[in-house]
Amino acid sequence: MSHDTGAPLQPSAQTPWSQLEKAVLALFALALLASLVVLTHPWNALVRDASTYLVVAKSLVAGEGYNYLEVPFTLRPPGTPLLLAPVVATAGVDFFALNLLTSFVGAVGVILFFVYLRDSLGWGVALLASTAVWLNPAFRDLSNQAMSDIPSLTLVVASLLVERRCHDGSGKQNALLGLLLGLGVLVRSANLLLVAAIVTSRVLQRWRAPEGNRETSAWAKTSLLTPVIVAVLVVSPWSLFTQMNPSPDVDDQIGIHSYATAMLHTDWGNPNSPTIGASEIFERVSLRSGQIATVLGSRLTVDRFGNRDADRPASAVEIVVTATLIACLLIALWRRGEPVELLCLAILPVTLVYFGFRSRLMLPVFVLALPCLLWVIRDIAAKRGFAQYGVGAALAVVVAMLVVDFNPRAGWGETEQAHAQWAQSCSALESALEPDARVATRLGTHLAVCLKQPIYSVEFATRRNGDTQGIAQIVETYDIDTVVLETKGPLAEAATTLYGAGQPVGPMSIWHLDRGA
């Protein structure tokens, strides 16, 4: 079932694929692709970042550029909107097609993950571990969203697989690695950590084995400079775009001026707001530590909706599971020093001080720490002369995960209900709004996905200035002629104070403003 079962942890070597392994890979790939039919749903998960990506993709398709509300979108790189744009261009905002695209990219990533694991764990453990990732409720949930998480993870796994095969390879192989690294950064900025992890790993492994066959300068040129330079070239157009289009002084639509502002300032959208102090950083680290333990310890199965469960105290079992994963990462780092351990151990401290938290931030750590756990289990048994038991223990861990966490359609009922309410609001407003209206609502991203009019948000301005003044500021700044808000709530009361009674449209109320008065 497996090969190299008793080898200690070390940089993984490739062995030729047997006919059986090739057949297993082919059947596994076919099974994943076939399962897309029953594991892909046709609903909008109503994740704000996903809606933002879709709005930007619509702008690209309309020939309006990489913009959000007619302003260059410089907060996030263009990889995900560019991936979504062909679907939007051919099928419109069809959520089955969009979710199917993300799920397909996820399937490619899991197939590559199987290949990556097979080199060091054998095809049996690799098959079960890859299946556990594919059926993990969080992985399935994210596979049904127009988000960057799944495409980013797929590019990370592809990069790790190529890195392993071109560790001392040719310039062309390392150029391919650089291309994948650059594409990864264009999908998710945090993938810069992978570039640093690969460079650090190669330097460490070169230092550990100074008897290499090449001159150090030639090795550095091929194995370090080539992938880094190619990655920089791939990312450079995006860097130039951000430099030519600086963010507004204060952001009142996205909610974040820049990642640096959000990390260091009390107001995420205002770089002139007070900076956070040491006590706030300590409080953030303390909070994130518990959230990380809850999420990793539960194998990412905590509730996505409102992130409620991620804020509860971690259970004893979750703390033990998280501590075990981190310990295995450290052991693997000491014994092998491969990029996968360095990447996971870099993501964790960054998340500890990150300004916001969502369970999905731990997706790459969970997926990539899993093989480290299995490697360590197998290695401990092998060093004590029980290699066959090590493989059995690794298999038992994965089977337990499959059984305990099996719920590949978790949250589908809530998602369908939320989608129905969103679609109802979209339908009602589509007929009630003038074609050339300029609309303000609480958060415009979700409605902007389905409506053709520009939809602005009052949420961030009202947080800063109060409900009445915040609404008035957005109306004045963006020449708004239509305000749409939920009929009940403080924002509707503020709009009524400013503009009189609104016109009920389903669960919403509309205020048509006379901007010429």
Side-chain angles (χ1 to χ4, degrees):
M1 176 177 287
S2 61
H3 58 279
D4 194 25
T5 55
L9 288 173
Q10 56 186 350
S12 304
Q14 297 88 53
T15 57
W17 284 65
S18 67
Q19 292 300 317
L20 173 61
E21 289 175 318
K22 292 178 182 179
V24 169
L25 174 61
L27 290 174
F28 182 57
L30 289 174
L32 292 189
L33 296 176
S35 70
L36 294 177
V37 178
V38 295
L39 294 178
T40 304
H41 66 61
W43 308 306
N44 181 1
L46 292 172
V47 177
R48 185 154 64 91
D49 287 351
S51 293
T52 301
Y53 286 135
L54 285 172
V55 172
V56 176
K58 287 174 61 178
S59 175
L60 288 171
V61 171
E64 298 169 357
Y66 191 64
N67 295 334
Y68 183 85
L69 290 174
E70 305 169 346
V71 175
F73 184 61
T74 58
L75 181 64
R76 297 189 182 94
T80 301
L82 286 171
L83 178 67
L84 300 172
V87 175
V88 174
T90 55
V93 184
D94 182 321
F95 281 98
F96 180 76
L98 291 164
N99 295 341
L100 185 63
L101 171 64
T102 308
S103 294
F104 174 78
V105 173
V108 172
V110 172
I111 293 167
L112 294 175
F113 190 60
F114 169 82
V115 176
Y116 178 76
L117 295 186
R118 171 261 174 200
D119 287 338
S120 54
L121 290 170
W123 70 263
V125 176
L127 178 64
L128 286 177
S130 300
T131 303
V133 169
W134 177 248
L135 296 177
N136 175 268
F139 191 92
R140 297 270 29 93
D141 186 41
L142 290 166
S143 294
N144 281 290
Q145 298 176 21
M147 289 283 284
S148 64
D149 301 272
I150 296 298
S152 169
L153 182 61
T154 295
L155 284 167
V156 166
V157 175
S159 298
L160 290 171
L161 189 59
V162 171
E163 191 279 335
R164 176 182 288 172
R165 281 160 167 70
C166 73
H167 193 273
D168 289 314
S170 67
K172 290 183 179 179
Q173 291 174 318
N174 280 283
L176 173 61
L177 174 61
L179 174 63
L180 290 171
L181 292 172
L183 292 175
V185 174
L186 289 179
V187 169
R188 193 176 182 85
S189 299
N191 283 351
L192 281 169
L193 294 174
L194 178 59
V195 181
I198 288 175
V199 170
T200 303
S201 171
R202 289 185 165 188
V203 170
L204 285 174
Q205 292 182 11
R206 184 72 174 185
W207 174 71
R208 288 177 174 180
E211 67 278 10
N213 295 325
R214 297 186 185 187
E215 294 291 336
T216 300
S217 59
W219 169 84
K221 178 181 177 181
T222 301
S223 298
L224 299 183
L225 291 180
T226 297
V228 170
I229 290 173
V230 172
V232 169
L233 290 175
V234 172
V235 176
S236 57
W238 163 245
S239 299
L240 181 63
F241 177 82
T242 59
Q243 293 174 10
M244 294 176 60
N245 297 281
S247 302
D249 293 338
V250 178
D251 178 86
D252 57 18
Q253 292 304 306
I254 302 298
I256 299 175
H257 178 273
S258 67
Y259 285 108
T261 298
M263 293 279 279
L264 300 175
H265 291 263
T266 54
D267 185 337
W268 298 354
N270 184 359
N272 298 315
S273 64
T275 56
I276 61 175
S279 60
E280 288 88 350
I281 294 175
F282 178 81
E283 182 180 353
R284 182 182 290 177
V285 170
S286 178
L287 175 62
R288 297 288 177 267
S289 298
Q291 291 170 325
I292 289 171
T294 301
V295 170
L296 281 182
S298 67
R299 287 85 55 207
L300 277 64
T301 60
V302 293
D303 186 12
R304 170 176 64 84
F305 292 89
N307 227 42
R308 294 187 294 266
D309 289 350
D311 293 329
R312 63 167 171 77
S315 68
V317 172
E318 290 167 345
I319 293 173
V320 169
V321 170
T322 300
T324 301
L325 287 174
I326 294 174
C328 289
L329 286 169
L330 291 171
I331 292 171
L333 175 63
W334 176 257
R335 298 295 302 279
R336 306 182 318 160
E338 285 200 354
V340 61
E341 300 99 49
L342 288 162
L343 175 62
C344 292
L345 292 170
I347 292 173
L348 289 171
V350 170
T351 307
L352 284 175
V353 297
Y354 199 61
F355 58 91
F357 184 84
R358 291 292 182 268
S359 302
R360 58 187 176 83
L361 296 177
M362 289 294 99
L363 177 69
V365 177
F366 165 71
V367 172
L368 298 176
L370 177 59
C372 290
L373 170 66
L374 301 177
W375 285 326
V376 169
I377 290 173
R378 190 207 63 183
D379 189 58
I380 289 174
K383 288 179 72 65
R384 285 159 176 76
F386 301 104
Q388 68 275 23
Y389 297 112
V391 174
L395 288 169
V397 168
V398 180
V399 170
M401 284 180 50
L402 280 166
V403 173
V404 173
D405 297 338
F406 185 78
N407 191 7
R409 290 188 170 190
W412 277 33
E414 291 175 281
T415 302
E416 182 180 15
Q417 183 179 4
H419 173 91
Q421 294 173 350
W422 168 80
Q424 181 182 8
S425 297
C426 289
S427 179
L429 291 173
E430 189 174 18
S431 57
L433 295 175
E434 296 293 332
D436 59 349
R438 297 179 63 83
V439 183
T441 188
R442 187 180 74 84
L443 280 173
T445 47
H446 294 324
L447 290 178
V449 170
C450 62
L451 299 175
K452 297 180 180 180
Q453 296 86 348
I455 313 291
Y456 292 83
S457 300
V458 302
E459 172 80 5
F460 310 109
T462 57
R463 289 182 189 175
R464 295 188 183 104
N465 306 311
D467 293 343
T468 302
Q469 186 176 346
I471 292 173
Q473 175 190 327
I474 295 300
V475 167
E476 183 65 27
T477 301
Y478 297 105
D479 197 25
I480 301 298
D481 55 33
T482 307
V483 176
V484 177
L485 297 166
E486 293 183 2
T487 300
K488 297 180 179 180
L491 290 180
E493 293 175 3
T496 300
T497 300
L498 287 167
Y499 311 118
Q503 171 190 347
V505 177
M508 316 290 286
S509 290
I510 297 181
W511 287 262
H512 295 284
L513 311 184
D514 185 4
R515 298 292 292 156

